[in-house]
Amino acid sequence: GGGGGGASRLNASATASFSTDDGQRGGDVGVRWLEEVVMLDVRGMHCGGCAANVRRTLEADGSVVSASVNLANESALVRIGVDVPADAPNDVSTPATTNFEDKVVTAVRAVGEKLASAVTERGFPTSVREACGVAVSNVSATDAALSKREDRLRRIRESTKRVVVAWALAATCLIGHAAHMLQGCCPPAFLKVFCSTPVHAGLSVFAMLGPGREIFVDGWNSLKSGGPNMNTLVSLGALASFGMSTAAVMLPKLGWPTFFEEPVMLLAFVLLGRAVEERAKLRATSDMSALLNLLPPTARLVPKGVDEVKEGGEYYRTVPTAVIRPEDTILVLPGDRIPVDGVVVKGVSQVDEAAINGEPIPRAKRVGDEVSAGTVNCDGAITVRVVSSGEETQVAGIVRMVEAAQQREAPVQRLADEVSGKFTYGVMGVSAATFAFWSTIGTKIFPKVLASAAATGANAPLLLGLQMAASVLVVACPCALGLATPTAVLVGTSLGARHGLLIRGGDVLERTHELDTVVFDKTGTLTVGRPVVRKVAVRDGLKEADVIASAAAVEKLSRHPLALAVVAAAGASASAVAKIPDADDGSFRQEPGAGAVAAVRGRTVAVGTLAFVTGGKNEGAVPPEVAEVASASNPGRTPVFVAFDGIVAGVLEMEDEVRADAASAVARLQRRGLRTVLLSGDRQETAESVGMSLGIAREDIYGDVRPEGKAQLVEKLQKGGATVAMVGDGINDAAALAQADVGVAMAGGVGAASEVASIVLLGDSPSQVVDSIELSKATFAKIKQNLAWAFAYNAVGIPIAAGALLPFTGLALTPSVAGGLMGFSSIGVMANSLLLQLTGKKLSKMPESTKGEDDEGGDENV
């Protein structure tokens, strides 16, 4: 199924997969084979050819199952298989404290180090970041991402210096050209110096040994290692122009002009394109950087033993967040960003959780409520007991999951990867063919083209062939192919994370793009998942408030969902709870599936089914004014009766509360042509009552569905030709989420659902289902646009550079112009991907009404 698989875990890179041969492999007793994941940081990649070279190097190792290389964030996710010795009690060489998990991490890390060394030997400095989801050398995913960002900023500063020097040299060449054109106007004598061949030759040498040195070194190393890349092509093009000019100077009989300015201009354009591309990559990671910056560097630690907070007293110490541990207690003042996941143990405040789940309105937090790292405390001091800190917090898990998602390629990118891997060799072949054609039969077939070659005589065809060959080498751009998918996925998944949408990778984006059916689980997805009192009817002569308060006096001793709804109806605030009477000590009795009873204010109060509260005497026990409500045809509601001393006093009608934005979300999906289906374990009548109120067709509503039946129904829809998304929140939805093409989990539900889901909605809002689909479609559209541009650019640019238009229009590209076009192609891909950020402005906000409801409930602020 499409819902699971891959790096879908929030707190680890992957799930180990054990062999099934009784824990043995290859006949080795006590050896287990398992599949694990290593995350590598790879530096020095410049184009799709580089990424393909790294992947080939990794997959050449026998222990590698598969490898995914991301050019945009300079990392590789490698699935490996390792043999791990099982526990050997009699092995005195193994410390007793070493358990199987430690052995796995050690074995996986050893393989990771070997792979890193192999890639480094190919010219791409590589280090192991994570083995089995465990940070290596105490470098967390967050620290690694911040370090990578700093490294990118450093490279931008260095590339800016190279661009300034390169364009200073290019400007000098342009001054020389200007002086040459102004010779008839008697230009100043000092300008004539810039027209001289020795000056141009010197500028060319300085450009290649100075700002362009890194390109030539990397290009040569890549060619020598058997993986030529874009730097190889640029180097060959620049050297070809320099070689032609040197031949013209050394052999004046050839009658060739010099082109020493061409390498200067070429390197200036290439370096400018690289600098702009690096800035665009940095911009593309801005959303991830915002996530990384959510955790404050320091926290206010309350020393153990400090129970009372005194005004103006020294009751806390400011310490680095890294030293905070579970069970510590911290103080969070108004305006502070909460540094840990924890539980409020003192104080009341409003907490802004927009950074985590996209909800724009702060939520009330009281004693017992959970708070998340990265959220902002608004208006009250609260004391928090730490549950998890650092890499164990929810926001750190989000960062890990988003980065893992960015490693997963869309299937549509595989063609581009295959092309990129062989692209450089193909371009070199086309360049050689171009030279052979124009230097031999080309000028004989099209003799007029010799006018474009600044040479005459027998050597003119040779010069023209060299010019065209150099232009072909320079104009080709494997970089655009390599960046097409990673940049769009990088921007799209990071943008989604900022809006509470965790999309697990490019493969998910492609499947989401093809969806035509969305299946909703009812409880906890379209409904809040907790019942509320919708209607109250009481016997004549009794007060509604008295009946509800008496019922709440009984039910506040129970944790049943219906009991909580009765208490909520009586009032869940501290002032209202004080008005609810207390049941007599020792009088409370609860019968599962029937109700509860207790003595309240001198009378027996029973709450539950009619048979329970009347002692089985149903007939004639319900007064007409109560019976009218209880017998009303409303399949979506559940009646709860209240009796005083065995006589029915009233009835409370319960209903699972529909989420405020559920109807609008269903309508938005239907307007986009998607079929909406409702599944529920509730009765068919209840499911139809909820579903039809939301606008779902009766024939698409299924009640009385068991957990395994949900997965079977999804499979049935798929066999009918549908591409299905399943939206659920509980462990009973996990199988259906895994079966669906795209599994969407509400983050407020059970963790098992989030584990197998392709998309996780941190805002717990049905409208986010539509947002995730729209963002996925927009991102995948950018991927297709980028790939179309990259293929079209090379398909058109290479023939033009080879001289396809020369016989008909006289148009021919010089190497410097070709280099400018090559840089523009990569920048175009980056800029198009960045336009995805405009999609963020269209994403819906959480409905305001759900805020107040959640705040009143208290228990559900998880």
Side-chain angles (χ1 to χ4, degrees):
S8 63
R9 299 185 64 179
L10 194 62
N11 294 319
S13 298
T15 305
S17 174
F18 287 88
S19 66
T20 57
D21 188 19
D22 296 326
Q24 302 176 15
R25 186 182 186 216
D28 295 333
V29 178
V31 174
R32 292 184 180 179
W33 181 90
L34 56 87
E35 181 180 306
E36 265 292 355
V37 166
V38 173
M39 179 76 80
L40 305 176
D41 286 316
V42 185
R43 297 181 297 279
M45 294 188 295
H46 301 288
C47 64
C50 297
N53 192 13
V54 171
R55 188 179 62 185
R56 282 197 304 269
T57 302
L58 291 170
E59 292 181 343
D61 190 283
S63 60
V64 174
V65 177
S66 65
S68 174
V69 181
N70 191 307
L71 175 63
N73 63 15
E74 300 175 323
S75 58
L77 190 72
V78 190
R79 290 189 172 276
I80 61 173
V82 292
D83 290 322
V84 182
D87 294 332
N90 299 324
D91 187 358
V92 296
S93 65
T94 302
T97 56
T98 302
N99 57 30
F100 183 69
E101 184 177 349
D102 295 333
K103 294 179 182 179
V104 171
V105 174
T106 301
V108 172
R109 181 172 176 178
V111 175
E113 295 290 354
K114 182 182 68 170
L115 295 174
S117 298
V119 176
T120 301
E121 289 175 2
R122 298 301 295 267
F124 304 98
T126 302
S127 59
V128 182
R129 183 199 307 173
E130 287 184 358
C132 309
V134 178
V136 174
S137 302
N138 295 320
V139 178
S140 66
T142 303
D143 293 337
L146 290 173
S147 174
K148 191 174 292 185
R149 180 176 174 83
E150 289 299 320
D151 184 58
R152 183 163 282 160
L153 286 170
R154 177 187 59 77
R155 292 206 305 266
I156 287 176
R157 290 191 293 268
E158 292 177 354
S159 66
T160 301
K161 294 177 183 177
R162 287 195 291 269
V163 168
V164 170
V165 174
W167 276 98
L169 298 174
T172 305
C173 289
L174 291 175
I175 291 174
H177 282 295
H180 182 74
M181 290 187 292
L182 294 174
Q183 281 184 352
C185 303
C186 299
F190 74 90
L191 288 181
K192 296 181 180 179
V193 176
F194 296 109
C195 301
S196 66
T197 298
V199 170
H200 282 185
L203 292 173
S204 184
V205 171
F206 189 80
M208 291 189 291
L209 297 181
R213 180 177 181 275
E214 183 178 316
I215 292 176
F216 285 91
V217 172
D218 182 74
W220 166 248
N221 288 335
S222 299
L223 182 63
K224 184 173 63 174
S225 64
N229 58 14
M230 186 174 63
N231 283 342
T232 306
L233 298 179
V234 172
S235 301
L236 291 174
L239 290 174
S241 295
F242 186 82
M244 285 186 289
S245 301
T246 302
V249 172
M250 301 295 293
L251 303 171
K253 292 183 179 181
L254 292 174
W256 290 359
T258 58
F259 299 101
F260 284 119
E261 69 277 9
E262 286 293 345
V264 180
M265 300 300 296
L266 169 61
L267 293 172
F269 277 118
V270 171
L271 291 171
L272 177 63
R274 292 274 177 85
V276 174
E277 182 182 313
E278 284 292 339
R279 291 181 182 274
K281 286 181 180 178
L282 186 67
R283 174 71 176 169
T285 60
S286 60
D287 286 314
M288 278 294 290
S289 300
L291 284 174
L292 295 171
N293 292 329
L294 287 178
L295 294 179
T298 60
R300 295 180 174 88
L301 176 67
V302 178
K304 295 186 183 300
V306 176
D307 297 323
E308 297 295 331
V309 175
K310 299 179 180 180
E311 283 297 324
E314 286 292 333
Y315 54 85
Y316 67 82
R317 299 196 314 270
T318 300
V319 299
T321 303
V323 306
I324 299 295
R325 294 292 180 266
E327 299 304 321
D328 284 344
T329 303
I330 64 169
L331 176 70
V332 185
L333 298 179
D336 285 355
R337 196 172 286 279
I338 299 174
V340 298
D341 292 345
V343 178
V344 178
V345 296
K346 182 182 292 185
V348 177
S349 184
Q350 297 276 329
V351 174
D352 182 356
E353 300 179 332
I356 301 297
N357 58 24
E359 301 183 12
I361 301 174
R363 176 178 290 182
K365 297 292 182 180
R366 306 179 182 88
V367 173
D369 290 343
E370 295 187 0
V371 293
S372 299
T375 56
V376 179
N377 182 29
C378 295
D379 53 14
I382 55 176
T383 304
V384 176
R385 176 174 55 81
V386 179
V387 174
S388 56
S389 61
E391 287 298 293
E392 300 303 318
T393 60
Q394 181 185 11
V395 68
I398 292 172
V399 170
R400 283 195 297 273
M401 200 194 80
V402 172
E403 186 162 50
Q406 292 166 354
Q407 293 295 135
R408 293 172 62 174
E409 296 178 345
V412 71
Q413 173 67 12
R414 291 169 190 159
L415 174 61
D417 289 343
E418 291 299 322
V419 172
S420 296
K422 304 175 177 63
F423 184 86
T424 307
Y425 290 110
V427 171
M428 294 168 68
V430 172
S431 177
T434 299
F435 171 74
F437 177 78
W438 288 115
S439 62
T440 55
I441 62 173
T443 52
K444 295 178 181 178
I445 299 174
F446 306 107
K448 293 182 179 180
V449 301
L450 289 175
S452 63
T456 57
N459 295 313
L462 181 61
L463 176 62
L464 179 62
L466 288 171
Q467 283 181 311
M468 295 296 100
S471 296
V472 168
L473 289 171
V474 174
V475 79
C477 188
C479 192
L481 287 170
L483 288 171
T485 293
T487 53
V489 172
L490 176 67
V491 176
T493 53
S494 300
L495 178 64
R498 288 282 289 164
H499 287 81
L501 310 171
L502 298 186
I503 302 171
R504 295 196 187 272
D507 54 336
V508 177
L509 294 171
E510 184 160 349
R511 293 198 304 270
T512 304
H513 170 74
E514 300 168 349
L515 288 177
D516 54 33
T517 304
V518 178
V519 178
F520 288 96
D521 173 58
K522 180 180 75 69
T523 305
T525 302
L526 292 176
T527 65
V528 177
R530 66 173 186 268
V532 293
V533 176
R534 284 301 186 197
K535 194 171 185 178
V536 180
V538 299
R539 179 187 291 272
D540 289 343
L542 295 178
K543 294 181 179 179
E544 181 178 307
D546 182 44
V547 173
I548 296 177
S550 297
V554 177
E555 296 288 45
K556 72 178 182 179
L557 300 174
S558 170
R559 300 305 297 169
H560 190 280
L562 293 178
L564 297 176
V566 173
V567 176
S573 65
S575 60
V577 171
K579 298 177 183 178
I580 299 176
D582 292 324
D584 295 349
D585 292 341
S587 66
F588 177 77
R589 177 175 59 86
Q590 184 172 359
E591 186 174 323
V597 62
V600 180
R601 292 175 178 173
R603 61 188 177 188
T604 301
V605 179
V607 185
T609 64
L610 180 58
F612 176 78
V613 301
T614 62
K617 302 174 183 178
N618 293 0
E619 294 188 10
V622 183
E625 60 271 23
V626 175
E628 183 179 351
V629 174
S631 62
S633 178
N634 199 334
R637 296 185 180 180
T638 301
V640 175
F641 291 90
V642 181
F644 295 161
D645 295 325
I647 301 173
V648 174
V651 64
L652 311 179
E653 273 201 338
M654 303 287 188
E655 183 181 49
D656 190 1
E657 185 179 8
V658 176
R659 294 186 185 269
D661 59 338
S664 63
V666 171
R668 288 172 62 192
L669 290 171
Q670 292 174 345
R671 283 198 300 270
R672 285 157 179 77
L674 278 76
R675 176 186 176 190
T676 53
V677 177
L678 177 65
L679 299 182
S680 177
D682 285 346
R683 294 174 300 140
Q684 179 69 26
E685 295 83 0
T686 302
E688 288 183 359
S689 174
V690 173
M692 294 179 68
S693 70
L694 298 176
I696 299 176
R698 185 189 297 270
E699 59 270 20
D700 288 331
I701 300 173
Y702 300 86
D704 298 308
V705 182
R706 296 178 61 82
E708 61 273 18
K710 294 179 180 181
Q712 291 168 0
L713 185 55
V714 170
E715 185 178 11
K716 179 181 177 182
L717 292 170
Q718 291 171 324
K719 288 181 178 179
T723 304
V724 181
M726 173 68 195
V727 187
D729 76 319
I731 194 169
N732 60 331
D733 301 320
L737 290 170
Q739 175 63 42
D741 297 285
V742 178
V744 183
M746 310 289 277
V750 178
S754 299
E755 290 290 329
V756 300
S758 307
I759 299 174
V760 180
L761 309 180
L762 296 180
D764 271 350
S765 165
S767 63
Q768 287 192 307
V769 176
V770 191
D771 291 341
S772 63
I773 292 174
E774 290 185 342
L775 181 59
S776 296
K777 287 180 177 291
T779 305
F780 190 69
K782 289 298 180 188
I783 291 174
K784 292 196 294 185
Q785 292 168 13
N786 289 346
L787 288 173
W789 163 254
F791 278 111
Y793 165 80
N794 286 290
V796 174
I798 292 177
I800 292 177
L805 299 180
L806 187 59
F808 314 105
T809 64
L811 176 64
L813 298 180
T814 64
S816 58
V817 173
L821 291 175
M822 181 266 292
F824 174 73
S825 69
S826 297
I827 295 170
V829 166
M830 296 295 301
N832 189 47
S833 296
L834 288 173
L835 291 176
L836 262 178
Q837 293 182 338
L838 299 176
T839 305
K841 299 178 181 178
K842 303 176 184 177
L843 299 182
S844 59
K845 299 297 183 183
M846 284 292 293
E848 193 166 330
S849 59
T850 61
K851 298 294 180 184
E853 293 156 2
D854 283 349
D855 291 348
E856 292 173 6
D859 295 336
E860 61 279 3
N861 293 339
V862 179

